[in-house]
Amino acid sequence: MTGHQQLLDPGPAAATFQIQALLSTAETEPAAAGRTALVTAVDRDGAVGCAVLRLLAPATVPAATTTPKQTAPHPTAPNPTAPNGADA
């Protein structure tokens, strides 16, 4: 192998980076929702590939709601509702 030969084919990697950039932009730009995008790639042998993607609106995560955690009383703790604090 000489110093001028390529070790890797950058075509598939380029398409991956294009899709990543596209998804990143779609996530931060609300105006991109509903639009279509074209990703293309060519390998060193001349094979051509493309993907047409429809961008969706970013997913919204509902705000977390917290409810107080109710715990049962300790089994050896006196029952505060029993008369004179005695266990029921």
Side-chain angles (χ1 to χ4, degrees), residues 3-50:
H4 297 288
Q5 290 178 325
Q6 287 185 337
L7 296 176
L8 300 173
D9 182 8
T16 302
F17 287 122
Q18 288 180 51
I19 292 171
Q20 177 59 38
L22 176 68
L23 294 176
S24 179
T25 300
E27 184 178 34
T28 59
E29 294 294 329
R35 298 183 73 182
T36 55
L38 178 67
V39 176
T40 61
V42 179
D43 73 3
R44 63 180 167 196
D45 296 325
V48 178
C50 70

Side-chain angles (χ1 to χ4, degrees), residues 67-73:
T67 55
K69 186 176 180 181
Q70 296 186 3
T71 58

